[in-house]
Amino acid sequence: MFELTVILKQPKQKSRIGAAKGRDSMASALAGLVPLSFLLLLVGCASRPLYPLPGKRYDASKKPLQTFRPYNLAHRGSNGEFPEETAAAYMRAIEEGADFIEGDVLASKDGVLIMQHDVTLDDTTDIAEHKEFANRKRTCNVQGTNTTGFFHFDFTLEELKSLGVKQRYPFRDQQYNGKFPIITFKEFISIALDAPRVVGIYPEIKNPAMVNQYVKWPGGKKFEDKFVETLHKYGYRGEYMSKQWLKQPAFIQSFAPTSLIYVSNLTDLPKVFLIDDITIPTQDTNQSYWEVTSDKYLNFIKNYVMGIGPWKDTIVYVSENYLQPPTDLVARAHALNLQVHPYTYRNENQFLHFNFSQDPYKEYDYWINTIGVDGLFTDFTGSLHQYQEWTTPSPSGEKSATKLLDKIGSMISKYRNPQT
Amino acid sequence: MTSVPGTVSSILLLLLVECAARPFYPLPSRRNDRSKQPLQTFRPYNIAHRGSSGEFPEETASAYKRAIEEGADFIETDILASKDGILICFHDLTLDATTDIAQHKKFESRKRTYEVQGKNITGYFTIDFTLEELKSLRVNQRSPFRDQQYNGKFSIIIFEDFISIALGAPRVVGIYPEIKNPVFINQHVKWPIGKKFEDKFVDTLKKYGYKGTYLSKQWLKQPAFIQSFAPTSLIYISHLTDLPKILLIDDATTPTQDTNQSYWEITSNSYFDFIKDYVVGIGPWKDSIVPASNNYLQTPTDLVTRSHAYNLQVHPFTCRNENVFLHFNFSQDPYNEYDYWIKKIGVDGLFTDFTGSLHHYQEWTNPFSMGEESASKLLDKIAYMISKFRNSYN
């Protein structure tokens, strides 16, 4: 490309210096140069760039997804440290070692898929400070409850982008409030693809009944169609653990079984069936917790999903902030070859049952070693990663061997130098 | 008929021999020390602050036993005194925050106001209750966000009970008692023949065989650190025992209770140069080593560097798991805090309310190896690593 500019610059200089004298001869020379430059332009654009962008790097050079220990699922990114579902939260999660970055997909008024958990913008954005939107407040029925607020489907993408995301919990770091915008599903995917190692995505088809009710797409397409289209556009495909899947790992999750069954006709990517609290029926089929966790139902749904994502307190009940004996949900799921990815793990002691002595690592230990889950949704990617690296480190051949030698060396040296 | 007096005397003789003979199965606390796993000295000390006070009401037998179970190197306590001069394990001068004193109507009239380090404090003071009366109370979990299920179940213990718990442990566990509020205690509690609080404190340690300089053979059998905020008490007892002593340092606004010296004076190089002849280390409040602003750590001060230059150890207080106590740099993760203090700042010991968590951190990042056990552990680890790879291809 730069050769072209050099060629273009030279005639200009010449014409400035010998403007009066050489203008005629210069014109004919230029005429000859034009087809040549077009040819070079064509060649230049067709050739592969010498330094590929990170997102287009040849996959074989990227460190692959680990598959030997339970998955570290960055729930809404590293939202223990950054406002949820922002680019910063996702990039931090990747930095901290996440296997998958997780997010909830909803849609804007103009049908753009966005990363946002709540159907209302009140708790996680500065919408209240935007007087220009004050009249957009309304009341809608959300899964049987009347909810008042600013709904995502009442705002175009441009309007949503004018908002600033804030940290949901007051006891977490507030310093980034208002600094980051809502991102789109495409931006979320780009962050994953651009990572220096293979990082999977774990998007949720969120509140599909409500989204399809309020947002319409051309050509009769539904929310689920646009969702899968986006994944296809970025090359996500393949069954669980297939070669293609391992290059760009993805799980599709949803609380709505009909949506999962619907997309199973569109993509063979692995799907996970999310299960809410025992008091909440499914939003699309109005089935109770007991029905969707029965052997009969699991036997049925296993043809469409490869795992379930239950709320952890339904796997092991809690009484007076103490764990009760575990239910058989994990055992039964595993018997049907269904993975279990419970949600959600949080470091703060208010979320930790007393068995864990206010220690989040004790909770990880219980779920991974005592219950035996296959993945964990956590708000604190770094803590789970640290726990896993300390207790079941990634083996890496030569690196591991030298690490072992270092370890032995330090063990011996400590004996030689006791504290004086 | 054989002579009865002859049988009786032989029975008496046997009885004598029996009583003199050593029992075949010695009590745990009298076990030959060599069979006990020794104190670790290769990594910073895990000091169980008031026992495992994150899980059990502080300074109770259960809190201490739990701490030992969880791997504490030292169990820590505060020594105060009852009205009748018995040394008890208790932190506050008043009983209000950690006991059910309010439910004991018969003690209502004992509420008093005393001046403590320049401030008037009102409450039920330990020095106004005999040991028997204190024993009728029950200890509660101080922090409302911690497990309340043991409230009303345990009683206050005495210094001697605390020592017995340490000596009764299946491995060598050190003690870390504090001469607490000595100025106040000596003002209000009198012992016979003119003995002071500090004298009784050291008497108790000696009674149970605690002696020796830091890392000496005797010390390693029964490790102990004596701590206090009052330098004169530490200097006074240095004539009574060669056990290692630690000078506790309060935050920057609080002067010493006995010498009224400021934080800046007692952390100066000249003071370190002086006090190092009496103590082996200092115990500062951790936020004065590295101040925090808007719940973020600032640049560390040079306190640890200067202490180490004078060969003084640093044991900061107090690490706690709950996020309300963690600065944002640590991402609500207590292990990140341990990592910071141990690896970045390089302290020599940590007072923690969560013995188990600190022990896990140390075992995972700096494990205690024991030769053969470690070798087979390594083999297990390798086998485990291989098995995981095999399973992932299913």
Side-chain angles (χ1 to χ4, degrees), chain A residues 148-253:
Chain A
T148 303
F150 296 95
F151 285 80
H152 63 91
F153 47 72
D154 284 333
F155 295 81
T156 63
L157 179 69
E158 198 184 329
E159 291 169 335
L160 289 172
K161 282 285 190 183
S162 73
L163 306 175
V165 183
K166 62 179 190 194
Q167 172 53 257
R168 176 193 291 274
Y169 293 112
F171 45 78
R172 290 183 181 171
D173 199 350
Q174 302 294 310
Q175 70 162 314
Y176 304 109
N177 288 0
K179 289 189 159 57
F180 307 123
I182 292 172
I183 62 172
T184 63
F185 189 17
K186 292 184 183 178
E187 286 165 339
F188 168 79
I189 287 171
S190 305
I191 290 169
L193 293 176
D194 206 51
R197 56 184 175 84
V198 172
V199 174
I201 57 171
Y202 210 131
E204 179 181 340
I205 304 172
K206 192 90 186 161
N207 286 96
M210 194 175 199
V211 174
N212 280 320
Q213 199 186 339
Y214 290 96
V215 186
K216 302 297 173 198
W217 283 273
K221 294 222 166 183
K222 299 203 299 174
F223 181 35
E224 293 88 335
D225 297 309
K226 305 303 286 177
F227 187 96
V228 177
E229 254 173 43
T230 315
L231 290 171
H232 281 161
K233 177 174 177 184
Y234 284 86
Y236 283 93
R237 65 185 192 287
E239 289 176 354
Y240 181 57
M241 293 297 250
S242 64
K243 205 168 159 196
Q244 306 152 309
W245 186 84
L246 285 165
K247 275 196 217 165
Q248 283 184 204
F251 286 107
I252 298 172
Q253 51 171 335

Side-chain angles (χ1 to χ4, degrees), chain A residues 65 71 100 201-205 227-228 231 236-242 244-246 248-254 260 263-264 267-273 301-308 339 341:
Chain A
L65 179 77
Y71 294 124
F100 289 79
I201 57 171
Y202 210 131
E204 179 181 340
I205 304 172
F227 187 96
V228 177
L231 290 171
Y236 283 93
R237 65 185 192 287
E239 289 176 354
Y240 181 57
M241 293 297 250
S242 64
Q244 306 152 309
W245 186 84
L246 285 165
Q248 283 184 204
F251 286 107
I252 298 172
Q253 51 171 335
S254 189
L260 293 171
V263 304
S264 66
T267 173
D268 50 3
L269 283 171
K271 300 148 201 81
V272 174
F273 175 43
I301 204 72
K302 78 172 199 288
N303 298 311
Y304 302 98
V305 305
M306 47 73 69
I308 57 170
Q339 290 203 7
H341 300 170

Side-chain angles (χ1 to χ4, degrees), chain A residues 312-348:
Chain A
K312 61 179 167 77
D313 280 5
T314 61
I315 302 174
V316 186
Y317 292 170
V318 176
S319 175
E320 316 226 337
N321 206 20
Y322 263 91
L323 296 174
Q324 300 301 291
T327 65
D328 61 358
L329 182 60
V330 174
R332 291 190 296 110
H334 281 168
L336 293 167
N337 218 20
L338 288 165
Q339 290 203 7
V340 182
H341 300 170
Y343 61 92
T344 304
Y345 299 89
R346 301 179 166 100
N347 284 3
E348 291 96 352

Side-chain angles (χ1 to χ4, degrees), chain B residues 249-252 263-264 267-269 272 282 284-292 296-308 314 316 340-341 344-347:
Chain B
I249 304 176
D250 217 326
D251 73 62
Y263 171 88
W264 308 108
T267 56
S268 66
N269 282 349
F272 281 170
I282 58 168
W285 163 226
K286 61 180 166 79
D287 277 6
S288 48
I289 303 174
V290 187
Y296 264 90
L297 296 175
Q298 303 299 292
T299 316
T301 63
D302 61 358
L303 184 61
V304 173
T305 317
R306 290 190 297 107
S307 309
H308 284 167
V314 181
Y340 177 79
W341 286 100
K344 284 241 160 62
I345 303 295
V347 297

Side-chain angles (χ1 to χ4, degrees), chain B residues 271-286:
Chain B
Y271 193 81
F272 281 170
D273 204 32
F274 157 69
I275 204 69
K276 75 175 197 292
D277 295 330
Y278 301 97
V279 303
V280 302
I282 58 168
W285 163 226
K286 61 180 166 79

